[in-house]
Amino acid sequence: MPYADVGAFPVPDAVDDDRAVFAADAAPTGWLATELGAVRPGDVVAVWGAGAVGQLTARAAVLRGAARVLVVDRYEERLRMVERHSGAEPLDYRRTDVAAELRDRSGGRGPDVCVVAVGSPPADRFGGRHADRPDALREAVHACRKSGVVVLLGGTDGFVDAFPLGTVTERRLTLRGVRRPDLRDVPMLLDRMARDELRTEHLATHRLPLAQAPHGYALFRHRADGCVRAVFTP
Ligand SMILES: NC(=O)c1ccc[n+]([C@@H]2O[C@H](COP(=O)([O-])OP(=O)(O)OC[C@H]3O[C@@H](n4cnc5c(N)ncnc54)[C@H](O)[C@@H]3O)[C@@H](O)[C@H]2O)c1
């Protein structure tokens, strides 16, 4: 295990494994997104993508005191989780005019911080019409308030076409990106888990023995059977 002395942390007794496992990646990523977005108390925050990362970004924004947090996706079960577990408001983009809703729910200005967490490239490639990651990024850039911050999470293939650069300059937007979470946040997040501020076990939708890992990854990749995360037990 490379760098085990750097990347291993004691898990508080009050945190069970199904909760703690999310401190490894999705929770610190969501936390970092809100740090890069400089989310402040009273802000309106919009998140594209209600996977584990999007949901934990939304929860991080709530914990930082955002006045409203809105999460955009199309999967009903994920949007229900957003409502039940993060304290954020779900927006189903198949049924809603997202741009208009975001404007309305942010006093007509647009969200202060927009985070794009719309899924790994392999899942997107199989994901049908909304496979195009820049769709969400474009929507975020257009929705964000003047002088707001847009944060892009995760790996990309490196190049995108038709990026609305003029809007970035016209609206004085700050654009930030991140691919790896910060391990320094892990102990703080474990403490929040121990205090029940951060609950993640609902994201472990599938529990499988390690031998079924390929099946678990396939469920995750295709978002099949309501899979948000498959957790493997050795
Ligand atoms: N440290 C990091 O920076 C880090 C760590 C883990 C994951 N990530 C990245 O975060 C992103 C999200 O990861 P995840 O595991 O939650 O992914 P996921 O595939 O489980 O969820 C992504 C969600 O985005 C939604 N989506 C797709 N296109 C959309 C659109 N145009 N508008 C609104 N919603 C849309 C999908 O319906 C899906 O529910 C990925 O890009 C991943 O690479 C980054």
Side-chain angles (χ1 to χ4, degrees):
M1 177 66 76
Y3 302 110
D5 55 335
V6 176
F9 300 92
V11 175
D13 289 342
V15 181
D16 68 18
D17 289 353
D18 278 356
R19 190 173 285 193
V21 72
F22 289 91
D25 188 70
T29 301
W31 191 263
L32 185 57
T34 59
E35 183 177 319
L36 294 177
V39 173
R40 286 176 300 197
D43 275 355
V44 177
V45 178
V47 180
W48 278 257
V53 175
Q55 290 189 43
L56 294 179
T57 301
R59 184 64 192 153
V62 169
L63 291 173
R64 285 183 188 268
R68 287 190 100 156
V69 182
L70 305 143
V71 181
V72 184
D73 206 304
R74 72 178 186 279
Y75 290 103
E76 278 171 28
E77 67 275 12
R78 292 181 174 211
L79 291 170
R80 273 198 298 274
M81 287 178 182
V82 164
E83 205 165 21
R84 196 171 311 138
H85 299 285
S86 66
E89 301 166 49
L91 280 181
D92 185 339
Y93 66 68
R94 297 166 312 171
R95 291 159 213 244
T96 337
D97 178 342
V98 171
E101 282 298 324
L102 293 179
R103 233 179 1 258
D104 281 0
R105 299 191 202 191
S106 58
R109 295 170 321 192
D112 302 283
V113 181
C114 294
V115 180
V116 179
V118 298
S120 51
D124 277 352
R125 263 185 220 124
F126 293 104
R129 166 171 111 71
H130 296 283
D132 188 4
R133 171 188 305 272
D135 273 0
L137 178 58
R138 274 195 287 268
E139 202 165 63
V141 167
H142 287 305
C144 199
R145 69 167 287 189
K146 199 167 181 182
S147 299
V149 187
V150 176
V151 182
L152 177 62
L153 293 178
T156 71
D157 289 340
F159 300 93
V160 297
D161 289 331
F163 183 76
L165 204 52
T167 307
V168 174
T169 54
E170 176 62 28
R171 310 192 78 184
R172 298 187 205 158
L173 299 182
T174 300
L175 187 58
R176 305 197 71 171
V178 59
R179 184 173 274 205
R180 310 255 175 276
D182 261 355
L183 292 179
R184 67 174 175 194
D185 291 328
V186 172
M188 174 272 294
L189 292 165
L190 285 167
D191 281 349
R192 287 182 187 271
M193 287 176 173
R195 292 199 299 272
D196 251 8
E197 290 175 17
L198 192 55
R199 288 192 289 266
T200 55
E201 49 276 17
H202 62 283
L203 300 167
T205 49
H206 291 71
R207 287 178 189 74
L208 301 166
L210 193 55
Q212 287 182 32
H215 175 57
Y217 271 98
L219 289 172
F220 167 67
R221 166 179 278 209
H222 299 287
R223 300 178 193 137
D225 190 32
C227 184
V228 177
R229 283 283 191 273
V231 173
F232 307 120
T233 314

